[in-house]
Amino acid sequence: MARSTTPDAPLARFAPTDRLWRLPGVYAPQHDTRLLAAALRHEGSLSGLDVLDIGTGSGALAIYAAHLGARVTALDVSRRAVWSTRFNAWRAGLPVDVHRGRIEDLAGRRFDLILSNPPYVPAPHRRPPTRGAARAWDAGVDGRHVLDQLGRAAPALLGPHGVFLLVHSALSGADATLDMLEAAGLRAKVADRELIPYGPVLRSRLGWLRARGLVGPDETMEELVVIRAEHI
């Protein structure tokens, strides 16, 4: 999960821009971004739909949704992410309404589709960081600090027949996410999965993860899951 200010490799497979620019500390599009982008593409035409991207980072998914015809609102707690997304949307020539804030700030609004690639990596500290690059991935000892917040708040922002797409690591508990969304009145399922090699962040804390029983002694691959939920 290296971070830099240099442009990313070409992302034409899922984004309308050739390269995305990031300020230091802003999350770089990676496997999870691409997996969620593929799920978004499978939803079909987004023309005229109101889409919300929570935790937009560099804006890759927000820009892709706008490229597919959606009216997009992008949200992030990071000023640097907001500036990065605004610049990338401007460079792409696509309208994205970018806001700094939290999901609670959107109370009362309704969206046809909500997507999020939130922080989800289990970390050896109870509270996630409030600044620095690790804020983009560390999410408490069970990796669910932000996931649980989303599960409480996102369903109320969905309009009739609205869809919620969420990507995270299986280390954070896919079943817990499914149960949480179903308890909120949504029909939820795992829409896609992908195994990827452990990245630098997981490798740096393998001893702690193994001690907690989250990974086995010989495991070297992380499973990513895309959760799709919709109003029943």
Side-chain angles (χ1 to χ4, degrees):
M1 291 189 175
R3 301 292 182 267
S4 74
T5 58
T6 58
D8 297 315
L11 300 170
R13 285 191 304 134
F14 72 92
T17 53
D18 291 332
R19 294 174 181 273
L20 294 174
W21 175 82
R22 295 171 290 113
L23 285 166
V26 175
Y27 188 72
Q30 298 182 43
H31 294 281
D32 47 10
T33 317
R34 292 180 172 86
L35 193 62
L36 189 53
L40 183 61
R41 184 166 61 247
H42 292 155
E43 292 297 316
S45 174
L46 301 184
S47 180
L49 298 185
D50 289 312
V51 172
L52 171 63
D53 179 20
I54 303 171
T56 193
S58 65
L61 291 163
I63 292 167
Y64 184 44
H67 177 66
L68 296 176
R71 293 185 296 267
V72 182
T73 300
L75 185 72
D76 206 292
V77 297
S78 164
R79 287 187 178 90
R80 292 183 177 191
V82 168
W83 293 335
S84 298
T85 298
R86 285 175 177 165
F87 177 80
N88 287 323
W90 169 81
R91 188 167 62 171
L94 290 166
V96 176
D97 188 18
V98 190
H99 298 272
R100 179 176 179 262
R102 302 182 181 277
I103 191 171
E104 295 83 1
D105 299 334
L106 299 176
R109 295 188 60 180
R110 295 292 182 272
F111 297 89
D112 301 302
L113 190 149
I114 298 173
L115 61 149
S116 184
N117 180 8
Y120 55 70
V121 178
H125 6 269
R126 187 176 65 85
R127 300 288 296 182
T130 58
R131 63 184 64 190
R135 180 167 64 170
W137 57 82
D138 279 357
V141 292
D142 58 1
R144 298 201 57 85
H145 183 82
V146 179
L147 288 170
D148 289 339
Q149 291 178 10
L150 288 174
R152 290 190 295 268
L157 296 176
L158 284 176
H161 312 296
V163 171
F164 183 27
L165 295 174
L166 174 68
V167 65
H168 67 80
S169 173
L171 294 175
S172 309
D175 287 342
T177 300
L178 294 172
D179 291 344
M180 173 180 63
L181 294 173
E182 288 173 357
L186 304 181
R187 179 170 51 226
K189 66 178 183 179
V190 174
D192 204 356
R193 302 176 185 267
E194 182 179 6
L195 283 173
I196 63 170
Y198 289 156
V201 172
L202 288 186
R203 290 198 303 269
S204 72
R205 59 187 62 159
L206 269 179
W208 178 80
L209 291 167
R210 286 170 176 157
R212 294 198 69 234
L214 292 174
V215 302
D218 300 319
E219 290 183 29
T220 60
M221 304 287 283
E222 177 187 16
E223 183 181 37
L224 300 176
V225 296
V226 174
I227 306 293
R228 185 186 190 275
E230 61 183 336
H231 277 303
I232 298 173

